[in-house]
Amino acid sequence: MAQLAPYLGILLKGALVTLGLAGLSLVFASLIGVVVGMVATSGFAPARAFAKLYVETIRSVPLLVQLFFVYYAVPLLANLSPSPYQAATLALSVYGGAYMVEAVRSGIQSVGTDQRMAARSLGIRYRVLMLYIVAPQALRVTIPAAMGIFIDMLKGASVTSIIGFVELMQTAVNIRNTIFALSPLVAAAVLYFGMCFSLSRMGAGIERVLRYEDR
Amino acid sequence: MAKPILSVEGLVKSYGAHQVLQGVSFQVTMQEVLVIIGLSGSGKSTLLRCINGLEDFSAGRIVVDGIEVDPHRASVWAVRQKVGMIFQHFNLFPHLTARQNIELAPRRVLGLPAAECHARADALLARVGLAQFADKYPGRLSGGQQQRVAIARALAMQPSVMLFDEPTSALDPETVGEVLNTMKELAGSGMTMIVVTHELGFAREVGNRILFMDGGVIVEGGAPEAILSRPQNPRTRQFIQAVL
């Protein structure tokens, strides 16, 4: 362990890079989730089919394969050359987005037809319905699920080391290759656990705050 | 006869091969309380939902306060603002307090100032006897209280007609009375009402006219006393005997 001491700083920095990558991807994934989630619950069948295709495709292909696709195939197809960071962000956003769509969809659908009918009978239209009736209740379902997805994305970010992006995992591997010990990997595991466990507790806290039955 | 505020002509509604409404026609005049009775599945609830454009219909014509009801036209929103609806299961918004439930539509649909909506909600809560429950969430209210909040919520849009779809069917017996009293007060204030109910006592006491529906048609209609005491049609007679 003593060997590891000088490297703790860069390990922590790696953890922050992982958190940053997952965090930025979460923002994009959430945007995808809200937009495609609304499409997925719309009355327009072709749009719903598109949403389903996206969700099912992404969820049925490993993140690693998607990452390779974004990093190696997209440059060939689109004549772009994304940096590892850009490719990692894109792949992780699209991956997390598919799960977010499902979280948003189940949130929207948690608000029953009873309430929608009551709203319509009061003259409340789609925009007001979504903003003031559906969204506040959907969040109660969507946010805890989104925390779980964020945790998955944060762990999934370790895969991006394979295209040469240096985050927590790659940092740990690099240190291991320098000091020839397992301790950097153990330290990485502890850091992953610390981040994910805190997020999970945070999710449970948010869930408690969002409950209104007991008020 | 006074000018009708609502008219339904030859209304037909089918789900696939099943005809729920098979040519229903009637009119309602200002300040009238029309009570519709009949077995479950006779098309009463469907009829109410057609009136404020919550449901499409296959044929016929509905006119509310001069506006033709067509769920596919934007004018249906004007109809919905004129017609208040009370549901069997109250359908309050569970994430909003009683007052917020009432304020929402005046604030976000009519765009009235917050202070005015607040005052309107409080006045209506007082009217239905729930002033002290303004800040309670629906989950904390009894069924009868929730239904009274729902009535206040519908009244906040100052409708010309109120539709009641079995407003007391989902209530505990001890809270039925408070809802019926609220409805009676409303009728007394001159509100035009169509009430689908099994409460024949209410129909007799508050109703101006009763329609008996069976199999998607109006079998018989007339003054409450006549329908309840001297029903002409055997099906009406059978129904009233079963309910009483």
Side-chain angles (χ1 to χ4, degrees):
Chain A
M1 278 312 268
Q3 279 176 290
L4 184 63
Y7 299 99
L8 281 178
I10 56 167
L11 262 178
L12 274 175
K13 190 166 161 273
L16 286 177
V17 171
T18 288
L19 208 54
L21 171 66
L24 181 63
S25 303
L26 179 74
V27 172
F28 291 134
S30 302
L31 288 174
I32 294 172
V34 169
V35 172
V36 184
M38 283 171 69
V39 165
T41 52
S42 75
F44 188 49
R48 282 205 308 272
F50 157 78
K52 197 171 169 59
L53 180 72
Y54 163 61
V55 169
E56 295 303 329
T57 307
I58 296 299
R59 293 203 305 183
S60 308
V61 176
L63 175 59
L64 182 58
V65 177
Q66 294 177 39
L67 189 65
F68 274 19
F69 184 82
V70 169
Y71 192 59
Y72 295 112
V74 167
L76 291 176
L77 296 172
N79 200 22
L80 291 167
S81 47
S83 68
Y85 177 67
Q86 289 166 337
T89 306
L90 178 60
L92 212 52
S93 300
V94 170
Y95 172 80
Y99 290 88
M100 280 295 188
V101 170
E102 283 304 281
V104 170
R105 190 185 58 76
S106 57
I108 289 175
Q109 288 178 346
S110 74
V111 180
T113 47
D114 274 14
Q115 288 186 53
R116 293 165 196 270
M117 211 186 271
R120 261 196 291 164
S121 80
L122 289 164
I124 294 172
R125 303 192 197 200
Y126 186 76
R127 193 186 65 86
V128 171
L129 172 76
M130 288 314 262
L131 227 51
Y132 295 96
I133 296 168
V134 175
Q137 298 182 72
L139 284 178
R140 209 168 51 104
V141 172
T142 300
I143 287 190
M147 283 309 265
I149 294 166
F150 184 39
I151 289 169
D152 262 357
M153 289 169 68
L154 196 132
K155 290 185 289 182
S158 60
V159 167
T160 65
S161 59
I162 209 127
I163 56 165
F165 181 60
V166 184
E167 35 61 76
L168 176 55
M169 184 63 198
Q170 190 59 49
T171 305
V173 170
N174 289 347
I175 298 169
R176 181 179 161 266
N177 291 343
T178 311
I179 63 175
F180 301 106
L182 274 176
S183 53
L185 294 178
V186 175
V190 169
L191 285 169
Y192 275 117
F193 176 82
M195 289 190 288
C196 293
F197 187 71
S198 314
L199 286 169
S200 162
R201 298 315 306 155
M202 216 151 75
I206 293 173
E207 208 167 335
R208 266 196 306 279
V209 172
L210 289 173
R211 279 174 67 168
Y212 45 75
E213 282 90 352
D214 304 331
R215 275 188 276 192
Chain B
M1 195 166 148
K3 194 177 168 290
I5 191 166
L6 170 82
S7 81
V8 177
E9 286 165 41
L11 191 68
V12 175
K13 159 89 190 173
S14 12
Y15 292 107
H18 178 56
Q19 266 204 355
V20 187
L21 297 172
Q22 312 189 20
V24 172
S25 303
F26 65 92
Q27 294 191 330
V28 179
T29 53
M30 285 276 254
Q31 308 205 333
E32 188 180 8
V33 177
L34 176 71
V35 177
I36 304 178
I37 59 173
L39 292 167
S40 318
S42 59
K44 303 168 305 213
S45 299
T46 308
L47 173 63
L48 290 193
R49 285 202 297 273
C50 288
I51 291 174
N52 67 351
L54 290 179
E55 212 156 329
D56 209 354
F57 46 90
S58 325
R61 192 161 180 263
I62 303 172
V63 179
V64 177
D65 210 357
I67 306 174
E68 181 156 357
V69 181
D70 180 347
H72 303 294
R73 269 193 280 167
S75 61
V76 75
W77 291 103
V79 174
R80 287 177 185 148
Q81 285 185 31
K82 284 178 187 291
V83 179
M85 178 129 178
I86 300 303
F87 301 87
Q88 186 177 350
H89 296 284
F90 339 124
N91 301 14
L92 293 179
F93 307 124
H95 64 300
L96 300 177
T97 63
R99 184 193 286 116
Q100 290 168 336
N101 261 279
I102 300 168
E103 285 173 336
L104 181 64
R107 180 93 184 92
R108 302 296 165 193
V109 177
L110 304 179
L112 298 178
E116 192 179 331
C117 299
H118 199 90
R120 191 182 279 196
D122 282 351
L124 285 165
L125 279 167
R127 182 171 172 188
V128 299
L130 294 173
Q132 70 275 37
F133 295 97
D135 296 316
K136 289 264 191 282
Y137 285 85
R140 284 278 182 231
L141 300 175
S142 74
Q145 291 167 337
Q146 288 189 56
Q147 194 60 297
R148 285 187 286 156
V149 172
I151 292 172
R153 180 176 69 175
L155 289 176
M157 292 298 281
Q158 303 181 326
S160 335
V161 182
M162 286 276 281
L163 310 177
F164 293 81
D165 188 4
E166 303 202 21
T168 58
S169 298
L171 297 178
D172 294 328
E174 64 266 29
T175 66
V176 168
E178 64 191 54
V179 172
L180 292 180
N181 281 336
T182 302
M183 290 166 62
K184 193 173 150 187
E185 185 272 319
L186 194 56
S189 76
M191 176 60 75
T192 309
M193 295 164 55
I194 303 180
V195 183
V196 168
T197 187
H198 295 299
E199 296 288 339
L200 299 187
F202 174 87
R204 187 190 293 269
E205 193 188 344
V206 183
N208 302 120
R209 190 154 57 105
I210 295 183
L211 300 179
F212 172 69
M213 280 184 74
D214 190 34
V217 295
I218 295 171
V219 173
E220 192 170 356
E225 196 50 39
I227 298 288
L228 297 175
S229 308
R230 300 179 299 280
Q232 302 301 304
N233 190 289
R235 282 188 287 174
T236 317
R237 216 171 298 149
Q238 204 179 6
F239 174 81
I240 287 166
Q241 269 167 10
V243 173
L244 282 181

